[in-house]
Amino acid sequence: MLSKFDLVVLNGVVVTASDTSSFDIGIKDGKIHTLAPSFTPEDIGDAQVVDAEGGMVMPGGVDAHVHLCQDQKTGPLGLGGQCADDFETGSRSAVCGGTTTIIAFAKQSRDEEDRSLLKVVEAYSARAEETGSYIDYAFHIIIVRDDKDVLQTELPVLVKKWGITSCKLFMTYKTMQLQDYQLLDVMLAALDNSITTMIHAENGDMITWLAEKLESKGMLAPYYHALSRPPSVEGEAANRAIVLAELIESPILFVHVGSSASANIIRAAQTRGLPVFAETCPQYLNLTWEDLKRFHSPDCFENSKMICSPPPGPDSSDQDALYLGLHNGTFTVFSSDHCPYKYNDPHGKMAGMLEHGPSMHRASCEGISLPELAKSKTGSFKLVPNGIPGVETRLPLLFTRGVTAGRITPQKFVELTSTNPAKLYGLYPQKGALLPGSDADIVIWYPEGGLTPFKLTNEHLHHNVDYTPYEGMEFANWPRYTLSRGQVVWANGKLLGTPRDGRYLKRGPNQLGKGVAHFKKDPRTVATWVRE
């Protein structure tokens, strides 16, 4: 019997950012076609059937903060770090964890050859096309130069030709840090082109000063990475970025917020009606400074596996505050900041040992594996590539520890992990929705009791990284099915898709607004004349 649908999802509890109800879903030509209380046998016909068996059915995850195919080889010997995941392996990992759209970063450098943002994007796009992607993908642009002629002529082309409507700016890292006047230059140019500005908010000068003091005292083990970046480092930078953004009335988004200090500053700005958005990530809800002492001893170099920036908070009190931020709207999106550096690799975490002269002085490496060598070396936290993997575990962690534990509602989960990222980055309602005409990107969870809780090991995962920071954590649920544009690409623990399934997405502008328009502008904080 023929059907008007290609595939139907039956017996599910459909959850969107606003509602929860029992619906069947009919899919045609890769799009959501019909939602109905139930389908008749005639409706179903010969369509492929996916039985949710009472499990929650949600829009597929949109992970708007993913690093793939990136090099950050800035150490003395130029070894680390090199992302272990390309678009094939990174998207494979994403889809197995319920994510159906990723937005990755095309990164400009300060080299003269990277002066053109268009050439940077073209080169990065070639990397994606070389391997393909299991799921749909888009790009942000990281801007580390303030070449005014390039900003004026190329930003409009990025928007029109590539649909790139977001840029990321850094307040730390010597190779990427912009001074305040440079931040203002780029923010103003982005504002004129309806490009959302993302901010990595850490005070680079404070970090440099603290790191030098730690080094002078011989405090170089991975744990001291956290001491070089206390929460005040992030809080100061967040406050300063808000002042700069308010000056020119620019919307901004703070990425990977890791502390209550920063979250409180952001919340206060939002309460004043400013268009300030924020993102947090799984590491800040599940790890603390103590995880930088996890392996064998506080001085053990294997703890470098846990280094990311900003680091998680000193203790679980920050986690409670960040969960409150998820609940009350301080955080607009929940992303992974998947930054995959291998541990056992000279272009990964091991660079922090191999590039540290004192650790390698008179070291005999012949016939010794890197992990064995690391057992007797401290390395230097300053030279360890900053970042941890997490694109596959993002949704399951928040589902288990947020939804199942009752800390956030299923609707809030969808809002943070799918709908808001799609709106913020100009993909809604193509993505992040279960509406007629939306792409049929769907994640279906096991019904309650349908999956025996298990402790995670790296062998469960599908990335190209040799560890997970969440090893040993217990999970109560995991995506049972993932559908990308109407095709079942993950089912009952098996990957069914291919790396040529994904398509590049051109995006529109931020759909979440530009702040409260009718507020009287205070000349003490806003330079209204700048854009006149």
Side-chain angles (χ1 to χ4, degrees), residues 13 27 55 103 120 146-147 169 175 189 201 268-269 309 320 336 347 363 379 413 417 434 461 472 493 513:
V13 178
I27 296 168
I103 309 180
V120 168
D146 64 336
D147 302 311
L169 312 181
T175 59
S309 294
D320 293 336
S336 69
H347 298 297
F413 177 93
T417 63
L434 296 178
L461 302 177

Side-chain angles (χ1 to χ4, degrees), residues 121-179:
V121 170
E122 288 165 0
Y124 194 65
S125 178
R127 295 184 181 187
E129 291 174 357
E130 182 179 359
T131 64
S133 173
Y134 282 85
I135 56 176
D136 292 350
Y137 62 96
F139 301 150
H140 308 289
I141 182 76
I142 293 175
I143 301 176
V144 302
R145 303 168 58 113
D146 64 336
D147 302 311
K148 295 178 179 59
D149 58 331
V150 173
L151 296 174
Q152 182 177 1
T153 60
E154 293 195 357
L155 289 186
V157 182
L158 286 179
V159 173
K160 184 176 181 179
K161 179 180 178 180
W162 287 93
I164 294 177
T165 54
S166 49
C167 67
K168 184 179 179 183
L169 312 181
F170 284 80
M171 301 175 76
T172 188
Y173 299 127
K174 288 184 178 179
T175 59
M176 294 186 283
Q177 181 178 348
L178 295 174
Q179 300 304 312

Side-chain angles (χ1 to χ4, degrees), residues 62-68 70 99 101-105 124 138-140 142 166 168-170 198-201 253-257 278-284 309-310 333-340 386-391 394 417 421 425:
V62 178
D63 194 340
H65 194 147
V66 175
H67 296 276
L68 303 172
Q70 281 185 0
T99 290
T101 302
I102 52 175
I103 309 180
F105 292 89
Y124 194 65
F139 301 150
H140 308 289
I142 293 175
S166 49
K168 184 179 179 183
L169 312 181
F170 284 80
M198 309 159 72
I199 301 288
H200 178 133
L253 171 100
F254 289 100
V255 295
H256 49 52
V257 174
E279 163 199 275
T280 194
C281 308
Q283 51 268 39
Y284 305 114
S309 294
V333 296
F334 183 78
S335 308
S336 69
D337 190 8
H338 179 73
C339 196
N386 289 196
I388 56 176
V391 69
R394 174 183 73 117
T417 63
Y425 295 113

Side-chain angles (χ1 to χ4, degrees), residues 7-162:
L7 182 147
V8 293
V9 177
L10 306 179
N11 306 314
V13 178
V14 174
V15 182
T16 68
S18 58
D19 299 297
T20 301
S21 190
S22 296
F23 280 111
D24 291 343
I25 301 176
I27 296 168
K28 183 70 173 178
D29 297 329
K31 302 285 187 180
I32 303 290
H33 184 280
T34 303
L35 287 88
S38 63
F39 289 140
T40 66
E42 291 75 21
D43 291 328
I44 298 171
D46 60 358
Q48 181 181 357
V49 174
V50 175
D51 189 348
E53 297 182 340
M56 292 187 188
V57 178
M58 299 176 172
V62 178
D63 194 340
H65 194 147
V66 175
H67 296 276
L68 303 172
C69 291
Q70 281 185 0
D71 298 337
Q72 188 66 21
K73 298 178 180 178
T74 58
L77 304 179
L79 290 177
Q82 183 175 13
C83 281
D85 278 321
D86 56 22
F87 276 84
E88 178 180 353
T89 62
S91 65
R92 179 183 69 198
S93 186
V95 77
C96 296
T99 290
T100 53
T101 302
I102 52 175
I103 309 180
F105 292 89
K107 185 179 78 68
Q108 184 187 40
S109 74
R110 293 212 166 123
D111 296 338
E112 191 65 18
E113 64 186 27
D114 279 350
R115 190 171 186 273
S116 169
L117 296 172
L118 294 175
K119 289 183 178 179
V120 168
V121 170
E122 288 165 0
Y124 194 65
S125 178
R127 295 184 181 187
E129 291 174 357
E130 182 179 359
T131 64
S133 173
Y134 282 85
I135 56 176
D136 292 350
Y137 62 96
F139 301 150
H140 308 289
I141 182 76
I142 293 175
I143 301 176
V144 302
R145 303 168 58 113
D146 64 336
D147 302 311
K148 295 178 179 59
D149 58 331
V150 173
L151 296 174
Q152 182 177 1
T153 60
E154 293 195 357
L155 289 186
V157 182
L158 286 179
V159 173
K160 184 176 181 179
K161 179 180 178 180
W162 287 93

Side-chain angles (χ1 to χ4, degrees), residues 307-374:
I307 286 181
C308 61
S309 294
D315 54 47
S316 61
S317 62
D318 275 285
Q319 296 176 5
D320 293 336
L322 297 180
Y323 260 112
L324 178 60
L326 292 178
H327 178 76
N328 67 18
T330 301
F331 294 109
T332 315
V333 296
F334 183 78
S335 308
S336 69
D337 190 8
H338 179 73
C339 196
Y341 297 118
K342 287 183 178 180
Y343 172 65
N344 185 17
D345 192 309
H347 298 297
K349 300 293 186 179
M350 285 292 177
M353 173 187 67
L354 296 175
E355 295 200 287
H356 184 234
S359 286
M360 300 307 295
H361 183 60
R362 295 182 179 177
S364 175
C365 305
E366 187 175 349
I368 301 177
S369 68
L370 288 178
E372 286 295 316
L373 185 64

